[in-house]
């Protein structure tokens, strides 16, 4: 299997504005590896078509703790939003269901 770099980003407070509202910035919290995975025919049949048409699956060994902290990930040169995390740290892999249409910018 060919793995690619997977970067996890989370919001971090960098200051406050004049009204004391927090100013948040995306910062990289972790770097790991992952690869895209295909939907199986069974998953397509169980989930509605909207899920498989607009989302992709990524498998990774990153810890679930870091994945839960992440707001967005950078994978395959694009940014994606995590919509679901499947698997525990006791499993060999965690499966991320991500928004398929990532953009080049945050």
């Amino acid at each position: 299997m060919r793995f690619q770099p997977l970067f996890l980003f989370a919001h971090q407070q960098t200051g406050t504005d004049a009204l004391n509202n927090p100013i948040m910035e995306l910062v990289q919290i972790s770097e790991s590896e992952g690869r895209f995975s295909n939907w199986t025919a069974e998953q397509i049949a169980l989930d509605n078509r909207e899920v498989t048409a607009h989302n992709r699956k990524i498998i990774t060994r990153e810890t679930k703790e870091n994945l839960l902290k992440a707001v967005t990930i950078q994978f395959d040169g694009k940014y994606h939003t995590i919509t679901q995390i499947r698997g525990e740290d006791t499993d060999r892999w965690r499966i991320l269901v991500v928004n398929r249409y990532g953009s080049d910018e945050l």
Side-chain angles (χ1 to χ4, degrees):
M1 283 195 262
R2 288 195 165 167
F3 289 91
Q4 298 177 347
L6 175 84
F7 304 99
L8 280 72
F9 292 88
H11 287 294
Q12 182 178 27
Q13 185 174 344
T14 58
T16 56
D17 63 9
L19 298 174
N20 284 331
N21 296 318
I23 299 172
M24 305 299 273
E25 183 178 310
L26 277 177
V27 293
Q28 182 178 331
I29 58 169
S30 182
E31 180 178 346
S32 185
E33 294 181 323
R35 74 180 292 272
F36 282 120
S37 179
N38 295 326
W39 293 103
T40 64
E42 184 177 281
Q43 289 171 325
I44 292 171
L46 292 175
D47 289 330
N48 63 15
R49 182 68 185 132
E50 290 296 314
V51 171
T52 57
H54 298 293
N55 292 290
R56 304 253 346 235
K57 291 190 312 181
I58 298 174
I59 59 171
T60 183
R61 287 189 174 168
E62 183 62 61
T63 64
K64 188 162 185 179
E65 178 183 359
N66 284 342
L67 294 172
L68 290 171
K69 291 179 190 174
V71 175
T72 188
I73 62 168
Q74 183 184 17
F75 186 72
D76 198 28
K78 295 185 179 182
Y79 292 93
H80 303 274
T81 305
I82 299 173
T83 58
Q84 187 177 21
I85 301 170
R86 297 179 184 169
E88 299 296 328
D89 287 337
T90 55
D91 299 330
R92 184 173 181 186
W93 303 99
R94 258 72 53 222
I95 299 173
L96 303 177
V97 178
V98 297
N99 183 341
R100 179 178 169 179
Y101 300 107
S103 65
D104 294 333
E105 300 176 8
L106 288 177

